[in-house]
Amino acid sequence: MSNALNLSHLVEDPAAVARPGWSRWWRWAALPLSLVISASLGALTTLLFLQWFATTDDYRQVAALADFQPSVVTRVYADDGRTVIGEFALERRVPLSYDEIPLRMRQAIMAIEDARFEYHWGVDPIGLARAAWKNFLAGRTVEGGSTLTQQLTKILFLSPERTIERKIQEAILALQIERQYTKEQIMELYCNQINLGGGAYGVEAGAQYYFGKSIRDCSIEECALLAAIPKAPSGYSPILRPQEAKRRRNLVITNMLEAGYITAAEAEAAKATELKLNVTSARELNTSGPFAYVVEEVRRELESRFGTRGTHTGGLQVITTIDAPAQIQAVNAVRWGLHRYEERHGGSRRDTPIPNILEELKGKDLSTYRHPEWAYEPFNGMYLHGLVMRVTGRTAEVSFGKYRATVTFSPDHPLREGDLPMFVIKSGAPRNSAMEPVIDTPLPSAPASTSAPGRKGRRESSPPPTVPAPNGVLQVELRSLPAVAGALLCLDARTGEIKTMVGGYDFSQSKFNNATQANRQTGSCFKPFIYTAAIENGWTPDDLVSDTPFQSGNWSPRNYDGSFTGPIPLRTALAKSRNIPAVRLLASVGIRRGAEMVRRFGITNPMAPYLPSALGATEVPLIEMVAAYSVFPNKGKRAKPHLIRRILDYDGRTLFDFDRDETERETRVISDYVAAQMVDMMRGVVDGGTATKIRAVADGDLNKRQIGGKTGTVNDWTDAWFIGYTPSITCGVWIGYPGEKRTLGKGETGSEAALPMWIEFMKVYLRGKPIETFDKAPAPDAELEKLQAERDRQERKELESGVATLMEDTETSSAKRAITGQPGSPRDEEPTRPRRAQTLMEETTGQTAVDEAQSAKRAQRQRPSEPGDVVPPAPKPTVKKPSFITDDPPKPPRREPPGRDR
């Protein structure tokens, strides 16, 4: 037997020897390989998902953020392009770039919303884990895990519902936003989109709303407050819930300290600061300020151009024609005039309840309220709203922003805390008018004369500078709202730019604009259109028209005082506002020609085809009357009245420019000659007619200026007007009861009720401006000379015929007396003698009358009125024409209220 050992079982098969190594390698490579395969599958899945997502609306929305145009505030500016007078917005938003957002504001937002904002990629697992752990320990939700990017997706794309599906969609959108945009772009979008309550969206609009200043001027605690609000704008409102707002503000400050953004000392100082608000409401700016009627008219025009949404979301920049200080002065002049009227009739009437701010602020701190009128420095004589802060017995402490006052009220009309009544400043304000600069320090009294002796064209005196009362204390008197309404409109006669527009006493009380919407009878303010038609048809200012009884059918017009003056020159008839001459002129030129002249002046309501229309029966809004009167100083051309000078889009591109885009900026209405003749006659209204109060003004240089105009009063004194102009400015005033034909009271004529308001405004508005003169009247054109020559021939023929008739009647009467042998008495013959013969006998005899009348007209044409001439009251002429003298005997005046005005 063999001693060899059988070791075959120890010998490994080569394949078997190799298997254990392969197995070890497989075990070592399986994990990495599976990870690679998983990653590949994940990447493939992600790629497929992104390909699918790229076809969805969500992706297109995310991509569209690059061209995102948020709803932006449209702002309305005064003519200086800087003074904001109104805003329109569905969401009040003022977008900022990333660099314009202060660092403190960005830090406050990250501290309370997303401390790891700069490190995550849209979804923060660490933040989610931290929030989950804190919520678990607290047993309730004390911290959310959403990133700032996720919150932005909620604001821009998603509904506020809380579901798993929405959270997944939120995360997906956040990842896409982070993938396509930088952190700076995301922060910029967030800061411009967050809702801060009160209609304010974005940090800049929020700062303006709550603090009345830009975000760049906000302190640490103010930035912290703004960062605290977005979580729940109503729950953390500093106006409605100040304690909750302060508590969350302090939480923001604490987080800023923990994040290392501020020091401990800064944190303690910020927490110790009470909430200090200066709430500025855009709605109140539009409805309660001195520009409210203007802003509403601008809104109407913008919506007609761009639609409601385009106007309120387009971020337009609208440059108006309004002179801001002049507008404030005009509002005050109207209020002054309406209170003056009420005082003449027994004192102001309290027709409406006083608004109470506590009802709006729901019982919270009154110190947060700021009325839009308080944004402008007050002046002595100013009417403005004051807030009753505290009432003790019959004494009330009143706030006017940084000024205050103490008033005593009647027990019949008690004041309550929070009331917002009207006051007039008697003294203590830093200036005397809205046109004056504010005096910061007391100045010595100025001498009475401020110009060198003998110099012309400059003011000889000015009111002494006002020294404001110490500590901002004003002396005021309480006023109640008047029942009567008024309106004032002033425009540049050469350009048509409206410089001031006052549609009523207070827009917040009545939104009806009496300057543009009220169609009222104009009274004698209508007469210049009839006189213009006469001048254009051959009459001259020195032609005579009869102021004697006139009857047309059953209608017999009367003058304001019930008297008759006989034949008088046209200029005197207009200056004295005689009614019958105006009616006779309309009968002379023809109703059709008169109506056409009215239409040419831009009056849209057609003149009724009746003779009484000469006395102002046509209803016309104030804006059309003022624009029509601007034709006279503008040499016969009517510039289109307008409020908007230029409109820019959000990026500063010009969308509309009046001078560039308006095709009918100016239209020719009458010739230069006719306009100059009307200016000459209408200056007589101021120099010797129904508006001589202007010449009695001692304040300023108004009484030294060349001014034309016309008063107007409607039957039963229901409406009173005055429209006047200088060579460059036309201004009109109306007073009456809105929406009804209610008498203002006996004697409330245009010169008594409307003219003082015009003076009150214009004496301040024109103060310091150059004294202008009207241009010299040009010669009439050939066609008009022909008409004047034809009128000369007709008048000569009429005079000669009348004189011949007079001589025949005289000879016949003498012959009869010679035959009968009875001496005749001129008094016995008067009742049977024709009125034409009586008039001619009283005024003139023979050919002398013809020669004198023709000579007077030739002299007037050879010497047109010079620019500096002052028209004195016209004496009773020695030569009178028998134009339109009726053969009917005069009727005694009726005992009824006088007709239209003087």
Side-chain angles (χ1 to χ4, degrees):
M1 67 183 298
S2 172
N3 292 327
L5 294 174
N6 185 8
L7 300 177
S8 60
H9 64 283
L10 299 176
V11 179
E12 295 182 0
D13 182 73
V17 172
R19 275 195 296 271
W22 173 260
S23 177
R24 286 192 302 272
W25 179 87
W26 176 257
R27 285 193 300 270
W28 175 80
L31 181 61
L33 187 61
S34 62
L35 291 176
V36 170
I37 294 173
S38 299
S40 299
L41 290 174
L44 179 62
T45 302
T46 302
L47 180 62
L48 293 174
F49 171 78
L50 292 176
Q51 290 294 329
W52 167 82
F53 185 78
T55 64
T56 64
D57 290 337
D58 290 341
Y59 177 83
R60 285 189 284 270
Q61 287 179 323
V62 171
L65 288 178
D67 301 317
F68 180 65
Q69 291 291 336
S71 172
V72 183
V73 174
T74 290
R75 283 192 163 152
V76 184
Y77 296 89
D79 62 353
D80 59 7
R82 298 186 304 273
T83 305
V84 178
I85 64 175
E87 293 180 347
F88 307 122
L90 298 179
E91 299 175 354
R92 189 167 182 241
R93 181 182 284 106
V94 184
L96 300 177
S97 68
Y98 178 82
D99 293 333
E100 292 174 323
I101 303 169
L103 176 62
R104 289 292 191 219
M105 187 70 247
R106 301 198 303 267
Q107 291 173 338
I109 290 173
M110 290 188 292
I112 192 64
E113 299 292 352
D114 189 355
R116 286 176 39 81
F117 170 70
E118 296 176 338
Y119 307 105
H120 63 69
W121 30 272
V123 176
D124 185 13
I126 297 176
L128 284 171
R130 183 184 65 250
W133 178 248
K134 287 185 177 180
N135 294 339
F136 172 76
L137 293 178
R140 58 187 178 88
T141 302
V142 295
E143 183 176 322
S146 295
T147 64
L148 188 145
T149 312
Q150 287 176 282
Q151 294 180 50
L152 180 62
T153 64
K154 247 188 319 190
I155 295 171
L156 295 175
F157 306 124
L158 302 177
S159 63
E161 63 179 346
R162 296 185 177 184
T163 63
I164 296 297
E165 181 182 356
R166 191 196 65 80
K167 291 296 290 184
I168 294 173
Q169 190 179 16
E170 175 186 297
I172 293 172
L173 288 170
L175 291 171
Q176 285 301 309
I177 290 175
E178 290 274 354
R179 177 171 171 265
Q180 297 188 42
Y181 301 100
T182 65
K183 292 291 186 181
E184 289 79 7
Q185 290 173 316
I186 294 171
M187 176 62 77
E188 178 183 319
L189 279 170
Y190 182 86
C191 288
N192 287 325
Q193 291 297 320
I194 50 176
N195 180 7
L196 294 171
Y201 288 78
V203 295
E204 177 66 16
Q208 293 178 10
Y209 175 66
Y210 288 111
F211 311 123
K213 57 185 175 182
S214 173
I215 186 64
R216 65 176 176 270
D217 300 320
C218 288
S219 60
I220 293 175
E221 60 271 17
E222 290 169 339
C223 290
L225 179 60
L226 294 178
I229 295 174
K231 181 178 178 64
S234 59
Y236 295 115
S237 168
I239 298 175
L240 303 178
R241 299 176 180 272
Q243 294 305 318
E244 289 82 353
K246 183 179 179 181
R247 192 157 40 245
R248 183 162 173 82
R249 182 205 69 177
N250 290 347
L251 174 61
V252 176
I253 296 172
T254 299
N255 288 2
M256 293 177 71
L257 174 63
E258 293 175 355
Y261 296 143
I262 57 177
T263 65
E266 289 174 326
E268 289 302 318
K271 287 182 180 180
T273 304
E274 294 297 324
L275 298 182
K276 295 180 180 179
L277 304 180
N278 182 11
V279 180
T280 305
S281 169
R283 179 180 60 82
E284 284 190 326
L285 177 65
N286 289 356
T287 61
S288 300
F291 306 96
Y293 286 104
V294 173
V295 172
E296 177 62 14
E297 289 299 312
V298 170
R299 182 192 66 80
R300 292 171 184 268
E301 183 168 346
L302 291 178
E303 289 188 355
S304 69
R305 290 178 179 272
F306 305 105
T308 300
R309 184 163 187 82
T311 297
H312 291 78
T313 65
L316 304 176
Q317 303 170 59
V318 185
I319 314 300
T320 69
T321 61
I322 292 296
D323 182 331
Q327 175 70 18
I328 297 171
Q329 190 68 40
V331 170
N332 204 67
V334 170
R335 290 177 176 178
W336 172 86
L338 300 183
H339 282 291
R340 179 178 176 272
Y341 165 83
E342 295 281 10
E343 290 167 2
R344 290 199 302 272
H345 294 270
S348 297
R349 294 191 291 274
R350 193 169 182 168
D351 295 319
T352 57
I354 297 176
N356 191 280
I357 300 305
L358 286 176
E359 299 172 1
E360 180 179 342
L361 296 181
K362 304 185 186 304
K364 302 305 174 184
D365 189 3
L366 289 175
S367 63
T368 64
Y369 180 79
R370 293 294 182 274
H371 195 279
E373 291 175 350
W374 304 348
Y376 312 98
E377 285 293 332
F379 52 90
N380 294 322
M382 183 181 186
Y383 291 82
L384 78 167
H385 292 84
L387 179 62
V388 178
M389 303 294 292
R390 191 175 295 103
V391 176
T392 305
R394 291 174 52 191
T395 302
E397 295 180 19
V398 185
S399 170
F400 301 93
K402 64 181 181 180
Y403 295 90
R404 64 185 186 275
T406 302
V407 297
T408 302
F409 55 85
S410 166
D412 297 332
H413 301 292
L415 293 176
R416 303 170 299 157
E417 183 178 334
D419 277 354
L420 193 69
M422 181 64 65
F423 296 87
V424 58
I425 300 176
K426 306 302 290 185
S427 64
R431 52 183 180 167
N432 285 318
S433 77
M435 307 296 291
E436 294 180 10
V438 178
I439 299 174
D440 296 325
T441 56
L443 298 176
S445 299
S449 177
T450 59
S451 63
R455 290 189 179 182
K456 297 182 179 180
R458 301 183 62 179
R459 285 186 292 145
E460 295 180 0
S461 63
S462 60
T466 304
V467 178
N471 302 321
V473 178
L474 303 175
Q475 300 299 317
V476 302
E477 289 183 2
L478 183 65
R479 291 289 185 269
S480 295
L481 298 182
V484 69
L488 183 151
L489 191 139
C490 175
L491 58 77
D492 188 315
R494 296 164 181 168
T495 64
E497 290 192 344
I498 297 174
K499 309 314 292 181
T500 68
M501 175 190 287
V502 184
Y505 187 91
D506 185 357
F507 186 84
S508 63
Q509 298 295 325
S510 174
K511 294 175 174 54
F512 185 79
N513 191 333
N514 291 287
T516 60
Q517 296 174 298
N519 287 299
R520 307 291 296 203
Q521 290 184 331
T522 57
S524 291
C525 279
F526 203 78
K527 291 175 182 175
F529 307 141
I530 307 304
Y531 279 77
T532 301
I535 296 294
E536 193 173 77
N537 282 272
W539 291 74
T540 69
D542 292 313
D543 283 347
L544 303 180
V545 60
S546 179
D547 182 17
T548 56
F550 176 90
Q551 187 160 354
S552 175
N554 295 326
W555 180 66
S556 180
R558 295 179 301 108
N559 292 314
Y560 178 81
D561 58 5
S563 67
F564 306 97
T565 60
I568 57 174
L570 265 65
R571 68 169 70 252
T572 305
L574 183 62
K576 300 298 184 181
S577 199
R578 309 298 289 179
N579 290 336
I580 294 175
V583 175
R584 291 186 181 278
L585 284 176
L586 181 57
S588 170
V589 302
I591 291 176
R592 182 189 61 79
R593 188 175 283 116
E596 173 61 20
M597 177 61 69
V598 171
R599 185 196 64 78
R600 284 161 52 187
F601 270 94
I603 306 301
T604 54
N605 275 350
M607 187 189 88
Y610 308 107
L611 289 178
S613 295
L615 305 182
T618 306
E619 294 183 338
V620 187
L622 177 63
I623 187 172
E624 289 188 4
M625 289 297 292
V626 174
Y629 269 51
S630 70
V631 170
F632 301 126
N634 197 32
K635 302 179 182 180
K637 294 176 289 187
R638 180 182 183 272
K640 184 176 181 179
H642 58 284
L643 269 173
I644 297 178
R645 181 183 294 168
R646 193 164 64 257
I647 303 174
L648 309 177
D649 67 6
Y650 176 70
D651 295 318
R653 293 185 295 266
T654 300
L655 301 178
F656 170 79
D657 187 290
F658 183 85
D659 292 334
R660 181 193 69 185
D661 301 322
E662 185 59 47
T663 56
E664 296 183 359
R665 296 191 300 273
E666 192 176 72
T667 55
R668 169 67 66 179
V669 178
I670 53 179
S671 68
D672 291 8
Y673 170 81
V674 174
Q677 298 304 310
M678 288 304 303
V679 167
D680 182 46
M681 287 196 292
M682 295 175 76
R683 287 178 60 193
V685 176
V686 175
D687 296 330
T690 57
T692 53
K693 287 182 179 179
I694 294 175
R695 292 296 172 229
V697 176
D699 184 9
D701 52 20
L702 188 67
N703 59 357
K704 300 178 179 65
R705 295 179 180 272
Q706 293 188 1
I707 298 171
K710 187 71 188 75
T711 55
T713 312
V714 178
N715 277 350
D716 298 326
W717 302 282
T718 59
D719 299 81
W721 299 69
F722 180 74
I723 307 174
Y725 53 82
T726 68
S728 61
I729 298 295
T730 305
C731 179
V733 175
W734 167 86
I735 181 174
Y737 286 97
E740 58 180 323
K741 301 295 290 183
R742 175 178 166 186
T743 182
L744 292 168
K746 185 176 181 180
E748 293 293 345
T749 62
S751 60
E752 179 63 27
L755 177 59
M757 281 192 281
W758 189 94
I759 294 173
E760 183 71 11
F761 169 67
M762 291 293 281
K763 72 181 183 182
V764 177
Y765 181 60
L766 295 177
R767 183 181 295 150
K769 291 182 171 60
I771 294 182
E772 305 169 299
T773 58
F774 292 104
D775 291 339
K776 182 178 179 180
D781 56 33
E783 185 65 27
L784 189 52
E785 284 186 333
K786 290 180 181 178
L787 290 174
Q788 291 175 343
E790 179 62 26
R791 277 197 50 77
D792 286 346
R793 287 191 292 270
Q794 291 177 356
E795 291 167 3
R796 184 181 183 90
K797 183 177 179 182
E798 182 179 305
L799 285 169
E800 290 175 342
S801 175
V803 170
T805 301
L806 172 62
M807 298 303 293
E808 291 175 2
D809 291 345
T810 303
E811 292 173 359
T812 302
S813 177
S814 299
K816 289 181 178 179
R817 287 196 299 272
I819 294 172
T820 59
Q822 298 178 355
S825 172
R827 292 176 178 263
D828 295 337
E829 294 177 3
E830 285 182 3
T832 58
R833 180 183 298 144
R835 282 185 48 77
R836 183 182 301 276
Q838 290 182 33
T839 303
L840 288 172
M841 179 180 291
E842 292 170 357
E843 305 296 340
T844 185
T845 57
Q847 187 63 32
T848 304
V850 179
D851 295 338
E852 291 183 0
Q854 299 295 329
S855 298
K857 291 188 66 174
R858 283 194 297 271
Q860 188 271 333
R861 290 175 188 164
Q862 290 171 2
R863 184 191 175 275
S865 299
E866 297 296 331
D869 288 349
V870 175
V871 181
K876 188 173 181 178
T878 57
V879 180
K880 297 182 180 179
K881 302 193 312 246
S883 303
F884 304 108
I885 296 180
T886 67
D887 290 332
D888 300 322
K891 295 180 174 61
R894 301 174 185 173
R895 295 193 176 186
E896 59 184 40
R900 290 176 177 80
D901 84 342
R902 53 178 61 197

